[in-house]
Amino acid sequence: MGYLKTPLRNPKEYLKKHTRETMVKSECKPSECLDKNHKKPPIPKRDEAPPIFHEGSNKNFIALNKLNVLRKPALRPAKKWVDTKKGDSFFLEFSGLVPKFCMKKEFGETPKYLVQRRKDLDHSQEMYEKSFPGKKFIKLSDEERSNLLEGLRANWEELNAKYMTLPLMLDTKVLQKRKIELERKLDLLEHDIYFLDKNEENDIYILPE
């Protein structure tokens, strides 16, 4: 099965450098994507100019630059205005003295969002006439508005009192359902009260019963 005692080397036979077996390095293969005869251009010498590589070497860039310069409009100096004795000048375009906005093509026309809003109102009016033929909106008077507001607040206080009597621990589904229903009704009443308070100066129309 093996040696009874492992034979040890003599202390004089210690490990020296370059005595281990080294792995033979694999020779690197040239890349197959390049041709074997492919070589880079030589480095230009100190006195030589570097080569210029560009497409369309037959173009006459001098003639093209001349044509571009002739076709461009003449540059005009920016208009300025002076407001002090020392000659401090400012650009006239950003001063607000130039009628820039009133010279636009769309100046004086109705904005697009107002035109779209009118179309939406007309469409809603047509849909209402189709769904409720022969019925018209009724305008609320001040007394009716105040009575409606008082009734909404009374209903809100009544529902709020019921909501406050609910227990803290909602163990059953019946209590959970009751709480959700009361919250929904309270939200609707708050929305209606806020709408009436916000539009005190505006006319309110309702559908007939």
Side-chain angles (χ1 to χ4, degrees):
M1 298 297 292
Y3 295 104
L4 183 62
K5 291 183 179 181
T6 304
L8 301 175
R9 290 185 180 182
N10 192 0
K12 294 181 180 180
E13 298 177 358
Y14 57 87
L15 185 63
K16 299 178 181 180
K17 64 180 179 179
H18 304 300
T19 56
R20 288 186 175 181
E21 295 180 358
T22 57
M23 296 292 292
V24 180
K25 294 182 180 180
S26 59
E27 296 180 358
C28 57
K29 298 180 180 180
S31 58
E32 298 179 356
C33 58
L34 296 176
D35 190 7
K36 293 181 180 179
N37 299 326
H38 176 76
K39 291 183 180 180
K40 292 183 178 180
I43 300 173
K45 294 182 180 180
R46 184 176 181 182
D47 300 334
E48 296 178 357
I52 300 173
F53 300 98
H54 57 80
E55 296 180 358
S57 58
N58 296 327
K59 289 183 180 180
N60 191 353
F61 292 98
I62 297 174
L64 290 175
N65 290 337
K66 289 180 180 179
L67 289 174
N68 291 332
V69 171
L70 291 173
R71 288 172 183 173
K72 284 184 179 179
L75 295 176
R76 296 181 180 179
K79 295 181 180 180
K80 296 182 180 180
W81 65 289
V82 181
D83 62 341
T84 60
K85 294 180 181 180
K86 296 181 181 180
D88 297 332
S89 60
F90 303 93
F91 289 103
L92 188 62
E93 183 180 358
F94 305 105
S95 63
L97 302 174
V98 181
K100 185 167 56 174
F101 295 99
C102 65
M103 301 302 291
K104 289 185 177 181
K105 294 180 180 179
E106 62 271 11
F107 181 77
E109 296 181 359
T110 307
K112 293 182 180 180
Y113 72 94
L114 289 179
V115 175
Q116 185 64 32
R117 188 174 182 182
R118 288 176 185 173
K119 290 181 180 179
D120 296 339
L121 289 173
D122 295 339
H123 180 69
S124 61
Q125 185 68 21
E126 291 177 1
M127 295 298 294
Y128 167 73
E129 291 176 357
K130 289 180 181 179
S131 56
F132 301 100
K135 292 184 179 181
K136 295 182 179 180
F137 286 104
I138 301 174
K139 181 182 177 181
L140 283 179
S141 61
D142 296 338
E143 294 180 0
E144 292 175 346
R145 184 195 300 226
S146 60
N147 294 334
L148 181 61
L149 191 59
E150 290 177 0
L152 290 173
R153 286 173 177 169
N155 292 337
W156 185 87
E157 290 178 358
E158 183 180 354
L159 289 175
N160 189 33
K162 292 181 181 180
Y163 184 79
M164 297 301 290
T165 56
L166 291 174
L168 296 176
M169 298 293 294
L170 303 177
D171 299 334
T172 60
K173 292 184 177 180
V174 177
L175 291 174
Q176 294 174 1
K177 187 176 181 180
R178 188 181 301 172
K179 180 184 177 183
I180 293 170
E181 187 66 21
L182 287 173
E183 287 177 350
R184 186 182 65 80
K185 291 180 179 179
L186 286 171
D187 291 338
L188 290 174
L189 288 173
E190 288 175 358
H191 178 267
D192 295 339
I193 292 169
Y194 174 76
F195 177 77
L196 290 174
D197 287 337
K198 188 178 179 181
N199 297 292
E200 290 182 357
E201 300 179 356
N202 300 329
D203 297 333
I204 298 176
Y205 296 85
I206 59 173
L207 284 171
E209 296 181 358

